[in-house]
Amino acid sequence: MAELIETRAGHAQGDVRTTVSDYRAFHDNGGGSVESRKSRYGEMVSSYYDLATDIYEKGWGDSFHFAPRYRGERFEVSIARHQHYLAHRLGLARKQQVLDVGCGVGGPMREIARLSGASITGVNINGYQVQKVREYNRRARLDQLCDVVEADFMNIPRADGSVDAVYAFEATCHAPDKTALFRELFRVLKPGGKIAIYEWCLTDRYDANNAEHVKLKRDIEEGNGLPDIWNIAGTLECFDQAGFRVLDVEDRAHEGDRETPWYLSLSGKELSNTGLRRSPVGKVMVKALTRTLEAARIAPKGTAQITDFLNVGADALVRSGELDVFTPMAFFLAQKPL
């Protein structure tokens, strides 16, 4: 189980407790607020992925997103199908210039490039992930089709009207101002160009006066590096304010079968690496092993604190999915008018 909780190379002899503390301060009751998270979102998001990227990869692979899933379908297949659906809705094809906004370590980029032949550039604020994307693209022999720039997606280093399409997999939820982000994406798109995103949203069942719902929202934000979570109607309004013509909106969280919900891998009820780690016994074992590895200087001091807040966030995702007050895959397809 040790390989499941390795952390960033070069940290094993070090101490990330200060980074953890700085990150958690964005969410604590003493000083954390939506306003502070929005004003310093770049620092918060980059710190989060410095801490969480390697742990994500061990449990999730190279595609950091959920997917609707059907009975008997392997997790990896559902992830690829979810990516293909977005590429199909965008109509991606060879010779198109495409932006992957908040590309993570590039799993969706590489899958979609293989499928469509489009040239894809990822935009990523986190330098550690940018290094990984470049290396993974090279290993996959896709570095002629796939590239990445280290940049804030609120200020993309691309000329006006220079790209054919834009997409994002559960990444624009990190934005401090969704209307401003969509205006930036509108700027770089060619007239007639399309954007497709899977967005983290509160559903109509979320009740801001329900204490459990409010706590779940807060735990999801802390466990996943988010400044705030919009609802579907609010996100749709941001598209309208940015100038887009919205072509389709749907919550794809219910596209799979009931016995294989999108949060199954986090529920601890599945026989998989992530499922076993997330079971009650698995969480206890991982925590104990993490502390042992810290003491032996195999993992950096503070690793156990990372797993703590990631588990709180994962628990909140599962419960919010069970209550249907949250979706990680509200799908929006929009077009820049000609």
Side-chain angles (χ1 to χ4, degrees):
M1 188 174 289
E3 73 276 14
L4 300 180
I5 53 175
E6 288 176 359
T7 55
R8 180 174 175 177
H11 280 180
Q13 300 295 322
D15 189 332
V16 296
R17 287 177 295 183
T18 297
T19 305
V20 173
S21 178
D22 289 347
Y23 169 73
R24 300 200 74 170
F26 284 108
H27 298 272
D28 67 32
N29 292 329
S33 68
V34 171
E35 291 72 23
S36 67
R37 294 195 293 273
K38 286 182 176 181
S39 66
R40 297 172 61 196
Y41 78 96
E43 177 187 343
M44 179 187 70
V45 172
S46 192
S47 294
Y48 175 80
Y49 282 110
D50 274 347
L51 296 169
T53 293
D54 290 339
I55 294 174
Y56 269 28
E57 285 189 278
K58 294 300 181 184
W60 220 252
D62 64 0
S63 295
F64 299 168
H65 63 82
F66 294 98
R69 190 170 167 192
Y70 296 97
R71 182 177 56 194
E73 184 178 44
R74 289 186 296 110
F75 174 79
E76 295 81 2
V77 174
S78 72
I79 291 290
R81 178 174 48 75
H82 199 50
Q83 295 165 357
H84 294 178
Y85 177 83
L86 180 145
H88 170 70
R89 295 300 305 273
L90 276 177
L92 298 185
R94 294 182 184 278
K95 297 185 180 180
Q96 285 188 321
Q97 298 295 317
V98 181
L99 285 185
D100 180 332
V101 177
C103 67
V105 297
M109 174 197 304
R110 290 183 289 276
E111 183 68 25
I112 290 173
R114 290 189 188 100
L115 175 74
S116 67
S119 295
I120 303 176
T121 299
V123 180
N124 194 322
I125 199 171
N126 180 265
Y128 180 50
Q129 289 190 343
V130 167
Q131 294 174 18
K132 282 178 170 280
V133 173
R134 289 177 178 148
E135 176 59 19
Y136 294 164
N137 290 348
R138 185 191 64 78
R139 290 184 197 173
R141 299 180 181 177
L142 286 169
D143 43 346
Q144 296 302 308
L145 283 180
C146 298
D147 194 11
V148 62
V149 294
E150 184 175 344
D152 182 348
F153 58 32
M154 302 296 291
N155 185 22
I156 299 171
R158 287 292 183 271
D160 295 359
S162 59
V163 300
D164 297 291
V166 175
Y167 69 79
F169 284 83
E170 305 179 20
T172 53
C173 51
H174 292 297
D177 181 334
K178 223 172 289 290
T179 298
L181 169 62
F182 293 164
R183 283 175 177 154
E184 178 67 357
L185 302 181
F186 186 95
R187 179 187 69 78
V188 299
L189 268 173
K190 295 177 180 177
K194 293 180 181 179
I195 176 174
I197 68 169
Y198 292 118
E199 180 64 292
W200 285 30
C201 287
L202 302 172
T203 72
D204 290 341
R205 294 194 178 191
Y206 178 83
D207 181 359
N209 295 313
N210 183 304
E212 182 183 13
H213 293 185
V214 172
K215 185 177 186 304
L216 288 171
K217 176 178 180 289
R218 185 171 63 247
D219 288 346
I220 291 171
E221 289 165 354
E222 178 172 3
N224 296 276
L226 309 183
D228 196 8
I229 305 176
W230 278 254
N231 58 26
I232 293 174
T235 303
L236 180 59
E237 184 178 346
C238 294
F239 272 107
D240 290 338
Q241 292 175 349
F244 282 104
R245 181 167 67 94
V246 177
L247 305 176
D248 193 18
V249 181
E250 59 176 324
D251 181 1
R252 294 193 56 78
H254 302 292
E255 289 298 310
D257 289 324
R258 286 183 298 175
E259 59 266 50
T260 51
W262 60 265
Y263 52 84
L264 178 63
S265 294
L266 294 179
S267 69
K269 299 177 181 178
E270 184 179 41
L271 292 177
S272 65
N273 280 342
T274 301
L276 292 172
R277 288 170 57 220
R278 288 282 304 146
S279 68
V281 172
K283 284 192 282 188
V284 171
M285 292 177 64
V286 167
K287 188 166 186 175
L289 181 56
T290 302
R291 296 194 184 284
T292 299
L293 293 175
E294 283 189 32
R297 302 184 70 188
I298 297 172
K301 295 184 185 300
T303 303
Q305 295 177 40
I306 302 172
T307 60
D308 284 346
F309 74 73
L310 290 179
N311 273 321
V312 169
D315 289 342
L317 287 169
V318 171
R319 180 58 178 160
S320 69
E322 292 171 344
L323 294 175
D324 195 24
V325 299
F326 166 83
T327 175
M329 56 191 78
F331 177 76
F332 297 85
L333 178 67
Q335 186 174 35
K336 181 175 179 176
L338 290 168

